Amino acid sequence: MNNINKYTTTIILAGLLTMAGTGCKKFLELTPLDNRVEQNFYKTEKDANEALNSVYDALQWHTNAGGGGFSPDPMMADIASDDSYAGGGSRSDSPEMIQIDQQKLLTNNSLIRVYWANHYTGIYRANLLLQKLPGITMSDAAKAKITAECKFLRAFFYFDLAKWYGNIPLILAPQAPSEYCTAQATPAETFNQIAKDLVEAIPVLDKSDLRTSKAHATRWSAEGLLGRIYLFYKGVYKAELQAGSVAVNGAYVLTQLKDLIANSGHDLLTNYADNFTKANEFSKESVWEISYSNDNPWFDWNYIQGGEGNMQPQMQGPRIDGDPSYNTGWSFAPVAQELYDAYEANDPRRAATIINMETDLKGKVTTGYQHTGFFSKKYTTTNEYRTTAGQYELNWGNNYRSIRYSDVLLMAAELDLANGGGSAQGYLNKVRGRVSLPNKTVSLAAIYQERRAELALEGIRYWDLLRQGLPAAAQAITISGKRGPGYNGDQVDYNVTFNQATKGLFPIPQSERDQCPVLKPNF
């Protein structure tokens, strides 16, 4: 399901190259073949909504026109954590994904360049629309709502960048060519701006669910995102946030989460596994969701971001032939034995999260690199998402549930516990009760363990480890000499050493540093 209408709008943003001879003047005087250029765009409310859709569009991208591999954020984070390995067909399938798995990233890794470029494209689009809005003919209320959505999206893009890269350029307006090279801001400056964007957006965004909003960010999306951002910043940088004149501390964020819990109408689905079915996209449990679809069947491997498909299911699907439930994938991000063993014996979330090759697959499985016998079940190549039009690998419509209500309950439990409230136990009990597990005495350790089981393979575990501190992350991620019974291949392929000197970050892409010498290494 994709409720954000997409439009193709060509906006000419760059000057023409100088041409020699008398033909130059004639060429420059020609009427543009495309009559929708920046000079006559950004005039009407329809233009503004098309431009807003272009900002949302960048959320979907896992590659870009500059080339490079596929970089779905949740999958990369799972591979960086102790929950998944790199996988793929062979050791040579994606050496750059193996660098993420092995914590040995090089500055010329194309995945980190693609990720950087895609997120700054989204930020540029948000900044440009924010700059143009005052001159667009539309109501003040409509302008305020689009402004709030742009700020939410800009905060989302910057949070992704700040998590992975630490010190990044903080750009809040479209730049002239002379301004393209921008020095890095401190993490405090970046995170405070992220918090400011969200604090300003929250009171303006719609108080609705995602189906009613047609996949646009809501007040509840922003409150949930603020909780995630605060907990990460507080854990990693041991400091509070300042959103302009608003002190964003634990008590403030807890108030936002309690507002979401009490007033949003969001709740847990009765059956945990239903969260990841097509019928339950934008369900009452989904607080923020990134939309994908096969509504625009796509064939072009050279311009993948022109379609609306999600590459993560294709990448994570098992290499299976003849199975009645699953289509063949590329077997990236095979699940580690450690995650399988982390579940309580009677926890139904394990079967809803992990495909066990021995019990769940009926077809012939071709083993790939770092084969463990386990695959992600949440975002995979299930038949209900298989398209009959377009290149099927490019058109998986599995939406990504970025923030679920269960995550909100566990974030609230963590903040309530830290701020001396009396609700933490109830929040934890509610999450466990949904899957018929007995109550467990609330503690920070119990909350972290519940987060691992509840949110596994949703791209969250890595950040939960980092906010517990680098020694804790190293203890969890570093593995030597351990293997599960389904592992196939040399032991060296399963050994990982977390390098605390990198602080868990991606390096600044070398291509960016070559173009902008003021960018400094971030570790």
Side-chain angles (χ1 to χ4, degrees):
M1 177 187 290
N2 182 12
N3 286 331
I4 297 180
N5 294 322
K6 293 182 63 178
Y7 301 83
T8 302
T9 302
T10 303
I11 301 173
I12 297 176
L13 300 172
L16 297 169
L17 294 174
T18 302
M19 300 179 65
T22 57
C24 176
K25 185 173 186 295
K26 293 180 180 180
F27 177 83
L28 292 176
E29 289 178 345
L30 290 176
T31 301
L33 295 177
D34 188 331
N35 62 6
R36 305 188 74 193
V37 296
E38 186 176 352
Q39 287 73 19
N40 62 22
F41 194 67
Y42 297 108
K43 301 295 184 184
T44 68
E45 185 168 352
K46 182 176 181 292
D47 293 342
N49 282 311
E50 288 190 28
L52 178 62
N53 288 334
S54 79
V55 186
Y56 277 98
D57 183 46
L59 292 169
Q60 296 181 330
W61 296 353
H62 294 155
T63 186
N64 65 30
F70 308 111
S71 55
D73 179 273
M75 190 186 81
M76 290 195 304
D78 287 334
I79 288 171
S81 79
D82 55 342
D83 282 354
S84 298
Y85 292 98
S90 66
R91 186 180 283 106
S92 61
D93 195 353
S94 181
E96 293 177 318
M97 198 68 76
I98 295 171
Q99 290 176 22
I100 296 174
D101 174 35
Q102 297 293 316
Q103 304 282 324
K104 297 178 179 178
L105 280 146
L106 303 178
T107 59
N108 64 352
N109 185 304
S110 69
L111 300 181
I112 66 174
R113 178 190 55 75
V114 164
Y115 194 84
W116 176 285
N118 287 349
H119 281 68
Y120 273 111
T121 297
I123 290 165
Y124 171 81
R125 291 179 174 188
N127 286 341
L128 183 60
L129 180 52
L130 287 169
Q131 182 190 70
K132 298 291 185 180
L133 266 175
I136 297 176
T137 302
M138 57 195 298
S139 70
D140 289 343
K143 285 183 182 180
K145 184 174 179 296
I146 290 178
T147 296
E149 289 188 58
C150 280
K151 288 183 176 181
F152 171 88
L153 292 168
R154 184 168 68 181
F156 188 86
F157 288 126
Y158 266 125
F159 181 43
D160 277 352
L161 287 168
K163 283 187 303 183
W164 279 118
Y165 300 96
N167 299 75
I168 57 175
L170 181 61
I171 302 167
L172 302 176
Q175 295 178 314
S178 62
E179 302 170 315
Y180 284 168
C181 187
T182 304
Q184 292 134 296
T186 66
E189 291 169 330
T190 301
F191 275 92
N192 284 337
Q193 179 61 48
I194 292 169
K196 183 173 184 289
D197 275 348
L198 291 176
V199 166
E200 292 174 352
I202 284 170
V204 182
L205 291 169
D206 287 346
K207 297 180 180 180
S208 66
D209 59 52
L210 291 174
R211 288 188 178 180
T212 303
S213 75
K214 301 187 183 302
H216 286 247
T218 69
R219 175 190 180 107
W220 321 121
S221 306
E223 288 181 336
L225 183 58
L226 183 63
R228 183 173 288 175
I229 288 164
Y230 173 80
L231 284 169
F232 180 81
Y233 185 74
K234 177 70 172 178
V236 172
Y237 295 102
K238 313 303 180 190
E240 306 291 344
L241 292 168
Q242 187 69 34
S245 62
V246 178
V248 179
N249 53 27
Y252 179 92
V253 176
L254 181 58
T255 298
Q256 310 305 309
L257 295 181
K258 286 187 172 182
D259 178 43
L260 193 167
I261 291 167
N263 300 312
S264 70
H266 286 290
D267 204 349
L268 300 178
L269 295 177
T270 301
N271 180 21
Y272 175 83
D274 286 348
N275 273 293
F276 307 98
T277 62
K278 193 171 185 178
N280 283 291
E281 291 179 343
F282 308 117
S283 75
K284 65 180 180 180
E285 188 163 339
S286 190
V287 176
W288 171 235
E289 190 164 316
I290 297 176
S291 182
Y292 295 92
S293 83
N294 58 10
D295 292 345
N296 178 30
W298 202 250
F299 292 90
D300 191 350
W301 284 93
N302 293 315
Y303 188 66
I304 292 171
Q305 69 272 30
E308 298 176 35
N310 185 351
M311 290 304 300
Q312 184 164 335
Q314 180 62 35
M315 296 187 76
Q316 292 187 157
R319 293 175 181 266
I320 187 79
D321 182 44
D323 191 277
S325 300
Y326 299 96
N327 298 272
T328 188
W330 296 338
S331 70
F332 284 95
V335 177
Q337 184 74 39
E338 285 75 15
L339 176 58
Y340 187 86
D341 293 341
Y343 286 92
E344 296 167 59
N346 58 342
D347 190 339
R349 292 175 296 191
R350 175 162 59 189
T353 299
I354 301 172
I355 298 172
N356 185 334
M357 185 183 80
E358 298 300 325
T359 58
D360 297 334
L361 298 178
K362 310 303 180 186
K364 179 183 177 182
V365 176
T366 299
T367 59
Y369 179 61
Q370 294 175 314
H371 177 81
T372 65
F374 301 127
F375 306 91
S376 171
K377 187 176 283 189
K378 291 181 175 178
Y379 298 103
T380 190
T381 51
T382 54
N383 278 340
E384 70 169 344
Y385 278 108
R386 171 70 186 258
T387 181
T388 57
Q391 188 74 32
Y392 89 89
E393 295 97 332
L394 303 181
N395 290 281
W396 293 103
N398 315 50
N399 284 5
Y400 171 55
R401 283 69 163 170
S402 182
I403 302 175
R404 292 195 290 112
Y405 185 70
S406 58
D407 188 5
V408 172
L409 290 172
L410 293 172
M411 288 191 290
E414 189 173 338
L415 285 169
D416 189 79
L417 188 67
N419 286 273
S423 301
Q425 185 69 65
Y427 296 145
L428 178 62
N429 290 349
K430 186 174 177 68
V431 174
R432 290 178 61 79
R434 190 255 295 270
V435 289
S436 300
L437 291 175
N439 294 345
K440 178 188 288 186
T441 301
V442 69
S443 66
L444 186 57
I447 292 169
Y448 273 126
Q449 176 57 33
E450 201 63 31
R451 290 181 64 81
R452 187 177 193 190
E454 174 70 25
L455 306 170
L457 306 184
E458 298 179 43
I460 293 172
R461 167 72 172 172
Y462 186 59
W463 312 115
D464 279 354
L465 288 174
L466 289 182
R467 65 190 182 88
Q468 293 175 65
L470 293 176
Q475 183 177 12
I477 295 172
T478 299
I479 297 175
S480 180
K482 296 181 181 179
R483 60 190 297 123
Y487 285 26
N488 181 26
D490 298 334
Q491 179 59 48
V492 67
D493 293 332
Y494 300 96
N495 294 337
V496 176
T497 300
F498 182 82
N499 182 4
Q500 294 190 51
T502 69
K503 299 179 286 188
L505 299 173
F506 282 171
I508 303 297
Q510 188 62 49
S511 58
E512 300 299 321
R513 293 183 58 199
D514 290 344
Q515 296 177 43
C516 184
V518 299
L519 293 179
K520 305 300 181 185
N522 52 351
F523 55 80

